């Protein structure tokens, strides 16, 4: 239990829930408290004497989820008016996920405000999801709400499952899957009162596990009042629209022309009968049933905080003592902490400063890890020449994950190798299954406290362990002869191609940027994240800053371009700006639009 608790933290000293003016958590446990913990269980295997480095595991633990949004009041800006920024981090794709648009509907009466909204839409959806109208602006990040439960169902020989009211027959849903060129596949889905039984999807699982998922159980979960959101003119109307939003749950930041700023969490998040959220839970009684949803008025909300600063980046948003379970797995807190650190610097910000923050590539977590690795090598017995060279590279590192940084890949690869050395003796090959939103916090805690229960048996102390992790990285077959040439851009390239045309040799060069080098990693504000085997690549999908001193000066851009036509002039016309950290003015008023337009296509019904 102690080891498990170490691996799955869900709070951190770095947390900064919206509206808290200081760090919300208490003091860190002392090393003496850690020394009193029970000894770890016997090791499953002890095959790490060589501590060999598996390059196939590079970065496999380095993909936290992400998006950023923040808002600052006029007290922190050059103009004296609020600035609101948002960059949502999603899987890279071509054509772009978002389509930039301004939508207008003239009011039926002179007393009603016109519908006039600009921002990012999904192609085919006639609403703006993130953007601004003539009075308010908003940006969103994923809250990461817990909307699932696994229930252990008890079945009898007759195929019935146990409930508090007695044995019941499950629903059997017959599915037929048509497969091209092959016979149909028949599938029977067993559905209990909680949801479909999914045990066959879990290797080695012998229990009958049913998945309860909010979209399947709650019709109101699929509710998207974007027209009301786009039409809102005040904080009260904005919150009213969000109160009707179903899911997924999001963190919204807000600003308006009157100088107000705010934050509101939204979504239909299950209210559970049990105060704990064990996984899985018993399904035969009602001890863990969902009893409703967390009331909207009880979700975290902040309006005009004294600090004049609000930011979210998928990390914990509930303060100490909050009575409801919103998420069982917050994301890492380092991006949020970095955003607050910059915004609380005392500067007066202009719109270009917001774009610079969206491009920020300082990784405080990786810098911390690098410092620990350097200290270990300085105190290790007889480190190799290559390990000492690695220590010197990391010693002088400023924590910026730039494309030409040689220290960044050393720090990231070493912490990946360190996880293997900590977990594989106890879990064998299953160590690769460990993924957790705050797994970086788990590693930080281990490196800070150095609990004996985590030290592998074949190492005398943590300095030896960390030094061995560095040695494994720098002596791997993938490491170049000169460690200084092993830069971040070369060690971790990205690829962005059209999903179909990218595989056609003749068209590949026109169909997408292809392979490229990019600054940033999973813990920088400009988040660039790889998944398993580089198949999943996450990056900012858009960037936006709304300037309330002049809405016509607001900026927006997407990754590649608006057009899906590979030979069209607008297919890749935003790519260089996205890569280099530039953006585009998005004019809003009729006069500014008229002055800026270059082309016009008019569609008239019946002609």
């Amino acid at each position: 239990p102690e080891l498990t608790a170490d691996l799955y933290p869900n709070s951190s000293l770095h947390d900064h829930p919206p509206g808290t003016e200081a760090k919300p958590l208490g003091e860190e446990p002392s090393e003496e408290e850690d020394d009193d913990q029970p000894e770890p269980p016997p090791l499953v295997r002890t095959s790490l004497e060589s501590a060999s480095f598996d390059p196939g595991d590079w970065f496999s633990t380095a993909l936290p989820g992400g998006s950023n949004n923040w808002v600052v009041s006029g007290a922190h800006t050059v103009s004296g008016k609020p600035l609101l920024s948002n960059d949502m981090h999603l899987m890279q794709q071509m054509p772009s996920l978002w389509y930039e648009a301004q939508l207008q509907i003239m009011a039926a009466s002179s007393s009603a405000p016109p519908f006039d909204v600009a921002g990012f839409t999904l192609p085919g959806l006639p609403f703006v999801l993130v953007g601004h109208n003539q009075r308010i602006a908003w940006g969103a990040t994923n809250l990461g709400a817990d909307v699932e439960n696994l229930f252990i169902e008890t079945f009898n020989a007759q195929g019935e499952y146990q409930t508090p009211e007695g044995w019941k027959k499950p629903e059997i849903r017959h599915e037929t899957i048509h497969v091209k060129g092959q016979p149909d596949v028949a599938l029977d889905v067993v559905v209990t009162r909680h949801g479909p039984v999914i045990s066959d999807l879990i290797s080695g699982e012998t229990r009958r596990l049913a998945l309860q998922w909010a979209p399947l159980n709650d019709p109101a979960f699929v509710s998207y009042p974007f027209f009301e959101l786009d039409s809102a003119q005040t904080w009260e109307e904005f919150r009213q629209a969000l109160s009707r939003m179903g899911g997924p749950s999001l963190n919204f930041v807000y600003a308006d022309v009157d100088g107000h700023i705010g934050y509101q969490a939204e979504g239909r998040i299950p209210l559970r009968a049990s105060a704990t959220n064990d996984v899985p839970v018993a399904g035969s009684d009602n001890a863990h049933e969902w009893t409703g949803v967390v009331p909207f008025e009880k979700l975290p909300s902040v309006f005009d905080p004294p600090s004049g600063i609000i930011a979210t980046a998928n990390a914990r948003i509930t303060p100490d003592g909050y009575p409801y379970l919103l998420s069982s797995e917050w994301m890492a807190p380092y991006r949020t902490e970095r955003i607050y650190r910059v915004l609380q610097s005392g500067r007066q910000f202009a719109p270009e400063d917001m774009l610079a923050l969206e491009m920020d590539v300082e990784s405080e977590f990786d810098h911390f890890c690098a410092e620990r690795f350097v200290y270990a090598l300085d105190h290790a017995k007889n480190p190799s020449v290559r390990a000492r060279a690695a220590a010197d590279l990391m010693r002088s590192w400023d924590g910026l994950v730039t494309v030409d940084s040689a220290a960044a890949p050393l720090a990231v690869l070493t912490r990946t190798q360190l996880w293997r050395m900590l977990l594989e003796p106890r879990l064998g090959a299953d160590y690769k299954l460990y993924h957790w939103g705050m797994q970086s916090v788990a590693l930080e805690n281990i490196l800070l406290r150095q609990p004996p229960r985590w030290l592998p048996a074949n190492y005398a102390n943590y300095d030896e362990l960390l030094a061995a992790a560095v040695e494994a990285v720098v002596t791997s077959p993938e490491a170049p002869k000169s460690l200084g040439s092993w830069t971040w851009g070369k060690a971790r390239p990205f690829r962005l191609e059209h999903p179909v045309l990218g595989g056609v040799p003749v068209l590949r060069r026109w169909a997408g940027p292809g392979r490229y080098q990019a600054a940033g990693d999973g813990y920088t504000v400009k988040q660039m994240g790889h998944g398993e085997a580089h198949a999943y690549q996450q990056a900012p999908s858009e960037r936006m800053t709304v300037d309330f001193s002049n809405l016509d000066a607001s900026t927006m851009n997407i990754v590649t371009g608006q057009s899906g036509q590979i030979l069209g002039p607008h297919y890749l016309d935003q790519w260089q700006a996205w890569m280099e950290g530039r953006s585009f003015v998005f004019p809003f008023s009729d006069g500014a639009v008229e002055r800026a337009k270059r082309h016009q296509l008019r569609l008239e019904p019946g002609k």
Side-chain angles (χ1 to χ4, degrees):
E2 294 80 15
L3 295 172
T4 302
D6 290 340
L7 290 178
Y8 296 98
N10 211 28
S11 62
S12 164
L13 290 169
H14 304 283
D15 293 341
H16 202 312
T20 57
E21 305 305 313
K23 296 296 181 183
L25 299 183
E27 293 184 359
E28 192 177 357
S30 67
E31 294 184 9
E32 288 75 12
E33 292 172 328
D34 279 302
D35 291 340
D36 293 336
Q37 296 290 347
E39 287 298 311
L43 301 185
V44 174
R45 50 187 291 205
T46 55
S47 62
L48 287 175
E49 280 75 8
S50 62
S52 61
F53 178 63
D54 180 2
D57 294 333
W58 291 14
F59 314 114
S60 65
T61 59
L63 183 67
S67 290
N68 307 311
N69 64 12
W70 61 82
V71 60
V72 293
S73 71
H76 299 282
T77 66
V78 173
S79 69
K81 298 292 185 179
L83 290 170
L84 182 147
S85 292
N86 189 193
D87 58 303
M88 294 178 281
H89 304 165
L90 298 167
M91 183 176 176
Q92 295 193 86
Q93 66 180 67
M94 292 192 71
S96 291
L97 172 69
W98 301 109
Y99 192 83
E100 297 166 286
Q102 181 173 357
L103 307 177
Q104 294 180 324
I105 304 174
M106 300 313 296
S109 67
S110 59
S111 61
F115 181 91
D116 193 356
V117 60
F120 300 99
T121 75
L122 295 175
L125 186 70
F127 304 111
V128 165
L129 278 66
V130 166
H132 70 89
N133 59 29
Q134 67 272 46
R135 286 196 56 85
I136 75 169
W138 62 96
T141 67
N142 188 1
L143 187 150
D146 189 340
V147 294
E148 296 177 339
N149 266 99
L150 281 177
F151 287 86
I152 306 171
E153 306 286 25
T154 302
F155 281 78
N156 62 19
Q158 290 72 45
E160 302 168 320
Y161 71 98
Q162 190 174 17
T163 74
E165 293 77 31
W167 296 95
K168 289 187 177 181
K169 288 187 176 296
E171 173 192 353
I172 306 295
R173 198 170 67 234
H174 304 286
E175 305 277 3
T176 300
I177 302 173
H178 304 294
V179 182
K180 183 178 181 180
Q182 299 181 32
D184 290 346
V185 175
L187 180 68
D188 288 342
V189 180
V190 178
V191 183
T192 72
R193 65 185 181 131
H194 297 117
V197 175
I198 64 166
S199 302
D200 291 344
L201 302 177
I202 307 171
S203 177
E205 183 58 70
T206 58
R207 299 168 296 181
R208 305 295 295 277
L209 301 180
L211 173 66
Q212 186 166 12
W213 182 41
L216 291 178
N217 296 75
D218 181 4
F221 189 90
V222 188
S223 173
Y224 306 110
F226 288 120
F227 182 81
E228 291 86 345
L229 181 63
D230 290 355
S231 304
Q233 302 289 296
T234 64
W235 170 247
E236 291 74 19
E237 292 178 2
F238 174 75
R239 293 188 71 238
Q240 181 62 33
L242 293 186
S243 71
R244 297 183 50 242
M245 195 81 77
S249 296
L250 301 172
N251 299 300
F252 279 90
V253 293
Y254 165 97
D256 64 31
V257 295
D258 296 322
H260 300 298
I261 67 171
Y263 161 82
Q264 179 65 57
E266 61 79 25
R268 294 181 64 82
I269 304 173
L271 193 61
R272 294 166 167 88
S274 172
T276 62
N277 191 38
D278 299 328
V279 180
V281 295
S284 57
D285 56 32
N286 288 328
H288 299 278
E289 293 304 298
W290 294 359
T291 59
V293 297
V294 178
F296 179 78
E297 292 299 325
K298 301 296 184 181
L299 292 174
S301 182
V302 177
F303 185 66
D304 283 344
S307 68
I309 299 170
I310 307 172
T312 78
N314 314 110
R316 176 174 168 238
I317 51 95
T318 55
D320 286 351
Y322 184 76
Y324 302 104
L325 173 69
L326 299 189
S327 177
S328 300
E329 183 181 6
W330 304 111
M331 293 296 104
Y334 306 103
R335 283 183 295 115
T336 308
E337 183 179 50
R338 174 64 180 164
I339 293 168
Y340 270 104
R341 184 166 296 180
V342 171
L343 296 180
Q344 291 175 338
S345 63
R347 294 173 53 196
Q348 300 297 107
F349 295 101
E352 55 268 26
D353 298 315
M354 302 294 96
L355 180 60
L357 182 52
E358 288 174 331
M359 294 293 295
D360 187 275
V361 292
E362 180 172 327
S363 176
E364 297 181 16
F365 171 63
D366 289 308
H367 197 199
F368 161 81
C369 291
E371 291 175 336
R372 294 287 159 159
F373 299 145
V374 170
Y375 181 89
L377 287 167
D378 287 347
H379 292 78
K381 296 179 180 178
N382 302 317
S384 69
V385 172
R386 287 178 65 81
R388 288 198 298 269
D392 289 339
L393 286 169
M394 289 188 284
R395 191 190 317 277
S396 59
W397 186 37
D398 56 8
L400 299 180
V401 186
T402 57
V403 293
D404 57 355
S405 171
L410 289 170
V412 174
L413 293 173
T414 300
R415 62 173 166 80
T416 303
Q417 166 67 2
L418 179 60
W419 267 126
R420 179 195 171 202
M421 297 169 70
L422 292 169
L423 294 176
E424 191 175 22
R426 295 180 169 86
L427 300 176
D430 283 348
Y431 83 90
K432 297 180 181 180
L433 300 177
Y434 172 57
H435 296 281
W436 186 244
M438 279 196 177
Q439 98 179 45
S440 53
V441 173
L443 185 61
E444 180 185 7
N445 291 340
I446 291 172
L447 291 176
L448 279 173
R449 303 168 188 172
Q450 301 190 2
R453 60 180 175 270
W454 274 108
L455 186 64
N458 45 328
Y459 294 99
N461 54 57
Y462 272 86
D463 287 344
E464 285 190 13
L465 173 66
L466 271 58
V470 177
E471 294 278 8
V473 169
V474 299
T475 58
S476 71
E478 301 298 320
K481 182 176 181 180
S482 171
L483 294 178
S485 67
W486 204 13
T487 60
W488 180 252
K490 294 177 182 177
R492 194 186 191 189
F494 277 74
R495 188 182 300 276
L496 179 57
E497 294 180 333
H498 192 282
V500 177
L501 302 179
V504 181
V506 178
L507 298 177
R508 182 182 295 131
R509 58 176 296 189
W510 290 285
R515 188 184 179 98
Y516 67 95
Q517 297 183 15
D521 73 358
Y523 300 108
T524 56
V525 176
K526 182 201 171 191
Q527 187 187 54
M528 304 292 291
H530 278 298
E532 293 285 354
H534 296 200
Y536 185 103
Q537 300 184 116
Q538 183 168 276
S541 63
E542 52 76 34
R543 296 189 182 104
M544 173 184 78
T545 292
V546 180
D547 181 0
F548 276 94
S549 71
N550 180 7
L551 290 177
D552 289 331
S554 300
T555 60
M556 301 182 191
N557 67 284
I558 53 179
V559 181
T560 51
Q562 292 275 85
S563 174
Q565 303 296 326
I566 67 168
L567 299 180
H570 305 296
Y571 182 64
L572 286 172
D573 62 354
Q574 297 199 37
W575 168 249
Q576 285 299 323
W578 183 86
M579 275 291 295
E580 296 169 4
R582 294 182 285 108
S583 192
F584 302 96
V585 172
F586 202 96
F588 182 69
S589 68
D590 292 344
V593 170
E594 186 66 25
R595 290 189 296 271
K597 76 178 183 182
R598 295 293 179 269
H599 309 280
Q600 178 171 304
L601 174 65
R602 185 178 182 89
L603 304 178
E604 297 186 21
K607 294 187 179 181

